């Protein structure tokens, strides 16, 4: 470890070398030239919302930079754990050839994901959306006012943000109601008890028709997202003309299914509780509904069988390859391997025969299996609701926990813990005087946390603190991408009293919107297909006359609706911006 670089405040704890291969499809920005090295630069990256794995963000940034800038032939990336002040931080060290200069870069990760794990519930997310939606509706009729650079400014109300909040709330309510209805009806028809009078075959038929309709409408969008997941191996996206129509149909069907199910329940329990006829039959659509349900049963079971067969073929191929490799391994117990494989295949074959037997009997009329054969959409809707619930808790839940400083809530300590985790990392990096240039990078909600951390460091500097020297002059770039900063600013304003004094007080702890001279260069990358992010308009004067106004850049290659939020990581726009700042 004698070759380890040591800054004035940096002590090496551990180091390891690893290799990252640049992409064969990308070229270095400039050829390798022997030039005097510039000063060491540091990059501090804060990940976004969701279940992020530690060190994954470090690896993503390192690979992205190496794909665009040529690494020197004599030095490989190095992973170290170092002590900076009171903090022990993991970092990646790169030597990049950028133009005519070689630049040493240290990448640090501000990791905070475990702090929110298991802390947010669907009730918290729903409450956050309700409060935000109500506040947005009340405030959306007038221009949005915000305190910036010692003055109060008016901006057009963000209509799209209001629509997004209301649609998200409607989807949650619809899927929650459908899940509750399925569970309640299944419990009411339990074998050991008599079902209530209103829960007869007609209501079962009506609810099944609604759920069949919902699953049919969701299937195209689910197929598109599955294709996108497979195509990520080659870093390809899905064109908007496929994702947008299927997503709109999925949203409309989810909201319509919730309303239709509520009407069905009201019809059979309150309006016409004694009728044996279904709602669709009374509306004159019994034949069409019966044909649709029959078609759905026919197609769904065959599609399910095809998917199961493909999974079985893939599994058998994987197991066969592993078996062949195991037999060719020297000094391996081949007899034991063969015996275990035979037993496993017999067990799998028995399960397959049992499944085939159950499916064959499920096609018969009458009996529990016959009834279940017509209720395939029920478990699929439960699975869909569980997936949406998990997505909302992982993503919207992090926002709900962090973006509510105006609410006296149970997340106060969690919010401070997230802020402190990122601030401590950034403070330790700024305290290391070996860094001439420091770049702060934040993705998604991480951009909000990085914004708060930089503001806190600037406040320390303006108040004469010694923990963060020369923050403003050494911050080469503030880079946000997939950022919801505009939306969080609007939500903060709409949930409070909306007074000028409150806005001014909030700005007083945000030097980035209060003191023009302290703001570094700020680049924000967004995609029109990323509903979480967008251009940042609420951090500059309406005429953008302030110093270092936010440079909003569209990532045209982040083109898959919803998935665009994570496609920035595989596109060159993000890393070209970082390399330009390093050069």
């Amino acid at each position: 470890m004698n070759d380890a670089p040591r800054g004035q405040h940096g002590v090496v704890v551990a180091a390891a070398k690893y290799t990252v291969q640049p992409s064969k499809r990308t070229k270095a920005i400039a050829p390798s030239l022997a030039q005097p090295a510039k000063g060491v630069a540091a990059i501090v990256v804060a990940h976004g919302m969701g279940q992020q794995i530690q060190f994954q963000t470090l690896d993503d940034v390192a690979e992205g930079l190496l794909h665009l800038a040529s690494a020197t032939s004599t030095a490989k990336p190095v992973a170290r754990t170092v002590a900076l002040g009171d903090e022990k931080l993991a970092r990646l060290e790169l030597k990049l050839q950028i133009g005519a200069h070689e630049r040493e870069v240290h990448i640090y990760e501000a990791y905070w994901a475990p702090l929110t794990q298991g802390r947010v519930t669907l009730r918290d997310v729903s409450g956050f959306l309700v409060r935000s939606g109500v506040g947005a509706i009340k405030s959306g009729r007038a221009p949005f006012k915000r305190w910036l650079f010692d003055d109060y400014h008016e901006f057009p109300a963000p209509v799209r943000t209001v629509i997004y909040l209301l649609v998200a709330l409607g989807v949650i309510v619809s899927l929650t109601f459908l899940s509750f209805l399925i569970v309640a009806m299944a419990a009411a028809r339990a074998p050991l008890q008599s079902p209530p009078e209103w829960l007869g075959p007609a209501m079962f038929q009506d609810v099944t028709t609604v759920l069949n309709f919902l699953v049919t409408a969701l299937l195209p969008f689910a197929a598109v997202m599955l294709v996108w997941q497979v195509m990520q191996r080659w870093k390809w996206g899905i064109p908007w003309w496929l994702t947008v129509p299927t997503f709109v149909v999925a949203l409309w069907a989810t909201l319509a299914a919730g309303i239709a199910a509520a009407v069905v329940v009201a019809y059979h329990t309150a309006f016409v509780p004694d009728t044996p006829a279904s709602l669709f039959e009374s509306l004159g659509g019994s034949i069409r509904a019966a044909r649709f349900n029959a078609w759905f049963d026919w197609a769904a079971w065959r599609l399910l069988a095809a998917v199961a067969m493909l999974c079985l073929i893939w599994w058998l191929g994987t197991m066969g390859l592993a078996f062949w490799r195991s037999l060719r391994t020297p000094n391996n117990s081949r007899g034991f391997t063969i015996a275990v494989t035979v037993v496993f295949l017999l067990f799998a074959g028995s399960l397959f025969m049992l499944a085939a037997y159950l499916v064959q009997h499920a096609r018969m009329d009458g009996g529990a299996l016959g009834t279940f054969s017509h209720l395939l959409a029920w478990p699929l809707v439960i699975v869909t609701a569980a997936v949406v619930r998990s997505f909302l808790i992982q993503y919207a839940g992090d926002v709900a926990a962090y973006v509510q400083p105006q609410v006296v809530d149970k997340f106060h300590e969690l919010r401070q813990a997230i802020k402190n985790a990122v601030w401590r990392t950034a403070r330790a990096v700024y305290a290391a005087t070996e860094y001439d240039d420091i770049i702060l990078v934040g993705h998604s909600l991480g951009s909000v946390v990085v914004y708060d951390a930089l503001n806190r460091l600037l406040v320390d500097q303006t108040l004469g603190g010694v923990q963060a020297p020369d923050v403003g002059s050494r911050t080469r770039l503030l880079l946000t991408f997939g950022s919801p900063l505009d939306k969080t600013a609007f939500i903060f304003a709409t949930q409070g009293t909306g007074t000028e004094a409150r806005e001014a007080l909030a700005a007083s702890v945000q030097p980035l919107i209060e003191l023009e001279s302290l703001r570094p260069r700020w680049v924000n990358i967004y995609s029109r297909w990323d509903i979480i992010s967008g251009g940042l308009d609420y951090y500059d004067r309406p005429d953008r006359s302030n110093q270092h106004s936010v440079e909003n850049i569209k990532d045209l290659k982040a083109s898959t609706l919803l998935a665009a939020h994570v496609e920035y990581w595989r596109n060159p726009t993000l890393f070209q911006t970082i390399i330009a700042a390093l050069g």
Side-chain angles (χ1 to χ4, degrees), residues 324-332 334:
W324 176 250
R325 289 175 176 174
S326 179
L327 291 180
R328 297 184 63 184
T329 302
N331 302 323
N332 188 29
R334 298 182 178 180

Side-chain angles (χ1 to χ4, degrees), residues 43-49 57 61 108 110 112 422 439-452 477-485 522-526 533 536 565 568-569 574 578:
I43 301 176
V44 180
V45 185
H47 61 78
M49 34 193 165
T57 305
V61 174
Y108 296 89
W112 54 269
V422 178
I439 297 176
L440 299 180
V441 182
H443 173 234
S444 189
L445 184 60
S447 66
V448 184
V449 188
V450 163
Y451 173 84
D452 289 342
L477 174 68
L478 171 61
L479 176 58
T480 57
F481 61 106
S483 174
L485 273 165
W522 185 350
V523 174
N524 176 65
I525 301 174
Y526 71 101
S533 72
L536 300 186
H565 189 64
Y568 305 105
W569 289 105
L574 170 64
I578 297 176

Side-chain angles (χ1 to χ4, degrees), residues 16 69-70 137 177 183 216-217 232 246 259 340 394 407 418 442 461 493:
S70 59
I137 292 174
F177 173 73
V183 173
T216 303
Q232 287 307 288
T246 55
I259 297 173
V340 171
Q394 289 182 27
V407 179
I418 296 173
Q461 175 181 300

Side-chain angles (χ1 to χ4, degrees), residues 186-269:
R189 292 292 296 267
L192 299 181
Q193 63 181 12
S194 300
E197 295 182 358
W198 54 267
L199 189 54
M203 184 172 181
F204 255 75
Q205 179 182 343
D206 286 341
V207 172
T208 301
T209 301
V210 172
L211 298 182
N212 289 349
F213 159 78
L214 175 59
V215 171
T216 303
L218 292 177
L219 185 60
F221 182 69
V224 169
M225 288 294 99
L226 180 61
V227 171
W228 174 83
Q229 189 69 35
V230 174
M231 294 174 66
Q232 287 307 288
R233 183 175 181 180
W234 300 278
K235 297 184 178 181
W236 294 343
I238 303 293
W240 66 268
W241 46 267
L242 276 179
T243 56
V244 173
T246 55
F247 180 66
V248 171
V249 170
L251 284 181
W252 171 80
T254 302
L255 298 175
I259 297 173
V263 172
V264 167
V265 172
Y267 173 79
H268 286 281
T269 59

Side-chain angles (χ1 to χ4, degrees), residues 460-503:
D460 290 343
Q461 175 181 300
T462 56
L463 295 179
V466 297
Q467 295 178 328
D470 303 325
V471 175
S473 61
R474 295 165 66 202
T475 305
R476 186 64 52 211
L477 174 68
L478 171 61
L479 176 58
T480 57
F481 61 106
S483 174
L485 273 165
D486 254 26
K487 295 177 175 61
T488 58
F490 176 70
I491 291 173
F492 175 85
T494 57
Q495 293 188 20
T497 58
T499 62
E500 185 172 336
R502 178 177 179 269
E503 290 293 322

